């Protein structure tokens, strides 16, 4: 399955209680379709990852760190993912309200806000935000026209030379 197809069939589930396990998530989300994988990120990125998607041993042992309060559930089809979103968003699980939405692609750590590189130095930023020479010249001429009108003290005073009430014609 391509990355785009995988992304369409993957959902984000946020607001998870620390007691939630992969098995419980599997049971809660199985009614909406066949689940390919459940990713439940640990608070410690160096913690060992479970090889089986439904294995909850990483969360059942008290020596292991807890998860980060969200998970990604991948279904076999995008239709199943949409059904899960429609039915589970704003529902309760273990006393917490879930936020269920379509998963978004993970951002590159070196791009966008929060990176250690200035946005204008990032690859692709200039190409996306660069102004063409033609647009730049149009902006300069529009600004010059505004400045010319602003310097004329009679602009906007047309029709004020007649005093008193006017007779309708």
């Amino acid at each position: 399955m391509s990355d785009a197809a995988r992304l369409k069939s993957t959902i984000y589930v946020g607001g998870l209680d620390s007691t939630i396990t992969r098995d419980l998530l599997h049971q809660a989300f199985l009614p909406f379709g066949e689940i390919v994988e459940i990713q439940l990120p640990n608070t410690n990125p160096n913690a060992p990852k479970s090889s089986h998607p439904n294995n909850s041993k990483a969360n059942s042992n008290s020596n292991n760190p807890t998860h980060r309060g969200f998970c990604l559930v991948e279904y076999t089809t995008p239709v199943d993912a949409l059904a899960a979103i429609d039915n589970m968003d704003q529902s309760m699980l273990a006393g917490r309200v879930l936020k269920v939405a379509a998963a978004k692609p993970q951002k590159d750590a070196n791009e966008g806000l929060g990176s250690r590189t200035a946005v204008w130095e990032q690859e692709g930023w200039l190409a996306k935000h660069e102004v063409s020479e033609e647009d730049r010249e149009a902006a300069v001429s529009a600004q010059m026209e505004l400045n010319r009108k602003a310097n004329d003290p009679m602009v906007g005073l047309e029709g004020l030379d007649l005093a008193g009430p006017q007779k309708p014609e």
Side-chain angles (χ1 to χ4, degrees):
M1 192 182 312
S2 71
D3 286 340
R6 286 187 72 191
L7 189 62
K8 287 182 180 178
S9 58
T10 302
I11 61 172
Y12 162 86
V13 181
L16 297 177
D17 188 61
S18 61
T19 61
I20 300 294
T21 63
R22 279 187 177 82
D23 287 337
L24 184 59
L25 287 168
H26 193 270
Q27 292 171 4
F29 285 90
L30 186 61
F32 308 107
E34 186 179 338
I35 296 174
V36 175
E37 180 182 15
I38 296 177
Q39 297 176 18
L40 192 62
N42 291 334
T43 54
N44 180 2
N46 298 328
K49 294 184 179 176
S50 169
S51 59
H52 191 270
N54 301 332
N55 189 357
S56 64
K57 289 181 182 176
N59 292 323
S60 62
N61 186 348
S62 61
N63 295 334
N64 286 336
T66 60
H67 57 80
R68 294 170 51 190
F70 72 93
C71 75
L72 298 170
V73 179
E74 182 182 345
Y75 285 95
T76 54
T77 65
V79 174
D80 296 341
L82 288 174
I85 292 169
D86 290 341
N87 290 290
M88 293 297 284
D89 189 31
Q90 301 300 313
S91 65
M92 296 283 286
L93 183 64
R96 304 274 301 264
V97 177
L98 298 180
K99 167 68 174 137
V100 182
K104 296 179 182 175
Q106 188 172 5
K107 292 182 179 179
D108 186 7
N110 294 327
E111 285 194 23
L113 297 176
S115 71
R116 296 174 189 220
T117 308
V119 263
W120 52 87
E121 291 179 356
Q122 294 173 10
E123 187 174 325
W125 185 88
L126 189 59
K128 181 179 177 183
H129 294 89
E130 186 176 31
V131 178
S132 70
E133 191 63 36
E134 181 179 302
D135 290 341
R136 190 181 324 268
E137 288 172 4
V140 167
S141 66
Q143 187 64 41
M144 287 174 45
E145 180 68 21
L146 281 175
N147 289 341
R148 186 187 62 77
K149 286 183 179 179
N151 292 336
D152 186 0
M154 300 305 287
V155 170
L157 300 177
E158 297 85 11
L160 294 178
D161 55 344
L162 302 172
Q166 302 282 324
K167 290 184 183 179
E169 295 180 30

